[in-house]
């Protein structure tokens, strides 16, 4: 296997490091009503019926039927709520259809299945296509008469892994007094396959996100959420999904604010650690290779053939990285081009990245047997920047002089793929809408994965997530200063969701003209972000 293929595969795999987060509560594949079931999965129905009813519950009447959730200390949760029909059979690779109402009271005390994906964040992976569900966390006392702002969270995972249920949002909901919705959406080839003549090509996962936002618009009031104060938020692929929805005409009016975490809108194919969008012709070429791989390449009946292939075989054949397609009805332009042209929804944006975004990838590549030393460094750079002139320029800008070049490699990844594109995205947005920028900079952030890395990771990709959510349902061990930072970040995020600006009397002031550095007991403005990340160099590099 070539160095480029090894490193690119690791890039995609390590994009899911929010995965090895914790032991996640087991999900039940297909939640059903406790009376007449409208689900397509009989075995899942049996599983649901056999499970004991929670001792403490709370019910909500939605536009689709009654839900029984779980009452906690200070908040309620409703999990496994269908927002679209199961995308199975003829609905595989079809735009999402409305969910069917149910009779009786539906059990919403456990999450539904994650969308099909290889084993990573979801233990053992998933092959259950009946996965278009969302979860609601709402503070106690929330009523339709006193609606709260709503944050809709789109998970990351390289568009190939992840689940809304991995993000326990109770701290955000209770401290911030907001309603939080976490969403599953179709992933991998099932979410982003492109084929000539197939409506929705390359954007099924994005269409699912819009269906969830429409469900929020129509149904969140029953949970005490305000459908007119919706903030769309996400990290990594989820952050880039927010970019795509900002650029999608079909998302007009579905959200009033946006939060983009480590998913800059200016991603590009030649810098593959960050998400990006593929042109429809390139996406169709990928789709043709995929169809051939599973034995469905005949000119006639390709789609019918693909719809008969087992999910496990589809997962085995799909590319390790996936991207949404642009030049499509849902996404007419590449988000970067839409941003440059001002063709985006005019809503306030909170955007940022982490100080050491690339260190997790660099550490994983070294641990996979690819040391970064003064001798190997030019070859490592050339694997990602094949043009000799560019490779030489990067080696000069980021010299490795000893045997431990991991942090240098991490800086190249982080600066090229995240820090500088995030600043560029903020610059483009700020000419049209209010923009608030941050850099998460806790150099001792709790690790997301077990084991000892080959060098200190600092604040790598996804390191900010435990400060906002209990990943996998458990909190990370934090120092008192880190817990204060977590509270400050939740205050910022939820204040932004409430007012369109993160400033709050309980936290250090946040200036719009600078980047807010988020570090334990050292939160405040910094004006050195572009210099520290060599952005003049990267912006000049073709």
């Amino acid at each position: 296997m070539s160095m480029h293929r090894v490193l690119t595969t690791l890039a995609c795999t390590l994009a899911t490091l929010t995965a090895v987060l914790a032991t996640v509560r087991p999900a039940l594949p297909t939640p059903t009503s406790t009376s007449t079931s409208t689900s397509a999965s009989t075995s899942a129905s049996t599983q649901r019926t056999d499970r004991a009813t929670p001792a403490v519950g709370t019910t909500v009447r939605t536009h689709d039927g009654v839900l029984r959730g779980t009452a906690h200390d200070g908040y309620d949760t409703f999990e496994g709520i269908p927002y679209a029909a199961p995308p199975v059979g003829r609905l595989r690779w079809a735009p999402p259809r409305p969910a069917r109402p149910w009779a009786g009271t539906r059990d919403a005390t456990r999450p539904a299945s994650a969308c099909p994906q290889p084993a990573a964040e979801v233990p053992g992976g998933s092959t259950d296509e009946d996965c278009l569900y969302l979860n609601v966390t709402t503070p106690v006392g929330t009523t339709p008469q006193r609606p709260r702002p709503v944050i809709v969270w789109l998970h990351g995972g390289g568009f190939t892994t992840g689940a809304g249920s991995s993000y326990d949002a109770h701290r955000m909901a209770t401290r911030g007094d907001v309603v939080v919705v976490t969403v599953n959406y179709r992933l991998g080839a099932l979410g982003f396959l492109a084929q000539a003549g197939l409506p929705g090509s390359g954007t099924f996962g994005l269409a699912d996100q819009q269906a969830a936002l429409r469900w929020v618009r129509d149904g969140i009031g029953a949970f005490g959420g305000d459908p007119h104060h919706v903030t769309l938020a996400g990290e990594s692929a989820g952050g880039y999904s927010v970019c795509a929805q900002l650029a999608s005409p079909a998302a007009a009016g579905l959200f009033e604010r946006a939060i983009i975490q480590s998913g800059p809108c200016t991603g590009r194919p030649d810098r593959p650690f960050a998400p990006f969008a593929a042109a429809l012709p390139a996406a169709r070429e990928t789709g043709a290779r995929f169809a051939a791989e599973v034995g469905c390449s005949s000119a006639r009946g390709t789609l019918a053939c693909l719809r008969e292939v087992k999910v496990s075989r589809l997962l085995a054949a799909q590319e390790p990285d996936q991207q949404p397609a642009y030049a499509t009805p849902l996404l007419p332009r590449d988000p970067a081009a839409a941003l440059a042209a001002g063709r985006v929804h005019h809503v306030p944006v909170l955007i940022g990245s982490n100080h050491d975004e690339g260190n997790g990838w660099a550490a994983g590549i070294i641990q996979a047997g690819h040391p970064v030393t003064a001798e190997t460094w030019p070859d490592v750079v050339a694997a990602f920047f094949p043009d000799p002139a560019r490779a030489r320029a990067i080696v000069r800008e980021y010299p490795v002089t000893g045997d431990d070049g991991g942090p240098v490699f991490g800086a190249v990844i982080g600066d090229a793929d995240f820090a500088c594109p995030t600043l560029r995205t903020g610059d483009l947005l700020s000419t049209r809408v209010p923009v608030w920028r941050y850099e998460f900079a806790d150099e001792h952030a709790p690790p997301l994965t077990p084991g000892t890395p080959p060098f200190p990771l600092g604040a790598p990709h996804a390191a900010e997530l435990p400060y906002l959510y209990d990943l996998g349902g458990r909190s990370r061990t934090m120092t008192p200063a880190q817990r204060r930072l977590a509270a400050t970040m939740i205050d910022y995020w939820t204040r932004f969701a409430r007012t369109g600006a993160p400033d709050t009397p309980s936290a250090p002031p946040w200036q719009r003209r600078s980047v807010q550095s988020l570090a334990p007991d050292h939160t405040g403005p910094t004006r050195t972000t572009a210099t520290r990340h060599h952005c003049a160099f990267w912006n000049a590099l073709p």
Side-chain angles (χ1 to χ4, degrees), residues 4 270 381-391:
H4 183 274
D270 62 344
V381 172
F384 284 99
F385 298 91
D387 177 74
R390 287 202 294 172

Side-chain angles (χ1 to χ4, degrees), residues 66-352:
V66 178
L67 293 166
R68 183 181 67 250
T70 304
H72 305 269
D73 184 13
Y75 65 99
D76 298 330
T77 55
F78 298 85
E79 302 173 279
I81 304 171
Y83 69 83
V88 300
R90 288 185 294 178
L91 295 186
R92 180 190 277 184
W93 294 305
R97 307 286 179 85
R100 291 178 60 186
W102 58 87
T105 299
R106 185 185 187 95
D107 187 355
T109 62
R110 297 288 290 277
S113 285
C115 286
Q117 58 191 275
E121 177 174 334
V122 175
S126 172
T127 58
D128 191 348
E129 294 182 79
D130 184 0
C131 65
L132 298 186
Y133 297 88
L134 53 78
N135 315 289
V136 177
T137 304
T138 184
V140 166
T142 304
T143 65
Q145 291 72 39
R146 187 178 171 234
R148 264 71 164 182
V150 181
I151 295 176
V152 177
W153 177 254
L154 303 177
H155 66 78
F159 292 115
T160 57
T161 68
S165 56
S166 294
Y167 299 82
D168 181 333
H170 79 273
R171 286 187 290 118
M172 183 175 287
T174 55
R175 181 176 179 88
D177 197 30
V178 296
V179 177
V180 183
V181 180
T182 65
V183 179
N184 289 355
Y185 55 93
R186 278 176 284 182
L187 303 167
L190 287 164
F192 300 97
L193 175 75
Q195 291 275 304
L198 175 61
S201 271
T203 59
F204 299 107
L206 299 180
D208 294 342
Q209 296 167 5
Q210 292 183 2
L213 286 166
R214 289 192 294 272
W215 183 96
V216 168
R217 179 193 61 195
D218 297 337
I220 202 63
F223 301 86
D226 188 342
H228 305 295
H229 284 86
V230 174
T231 297
L232 184 62
E235 185 267 346
S236 194
Y240 192 77
S241 294
V242 177
C243 293
Q245 301 302 351
L246 282 168
S248 174
L254 293 179
F255 57 96
E256 287 69 41
R257 299 173 183 92
I259 298 175
I260 302 168
Q261 298 173 215
S262 300
C265 303
T266 52
R268 40 194 274 191
D270 62 344
R271 298 182 188 177
F273 290 94
F276 60 93
L280 185 58
R284 284 176 174 168
E285 289 179 10
T286 300
R289 290 194 301 270
F290 174 76
E293 181 70 19
V294 298
C296 293
S297 59
S298 62
R300 298 179 64 183
T302 298
L303 188 58
C305 175
L306 285 168
R307 284 178 171 149
E308 296 295 326
V309 178
K310 289 184 178 180
V311 171
S312 57
R313 190 176 179 194
L314 298 177
L315 293 177
Q318 71 184 20
E319 299 275 338
D321 58 331
Q322 298 286 324
Q323 302 87 29
Y326 68 90
T328 60
L330 187 144
L331 193 60
R333 297 173 179 238
D334 184 338
L339 206 57
R343 305 292 288 271
V344 293
H345 304 305
H346 288 190
V347 301
V349 176
L350 189 156
I351 183 171

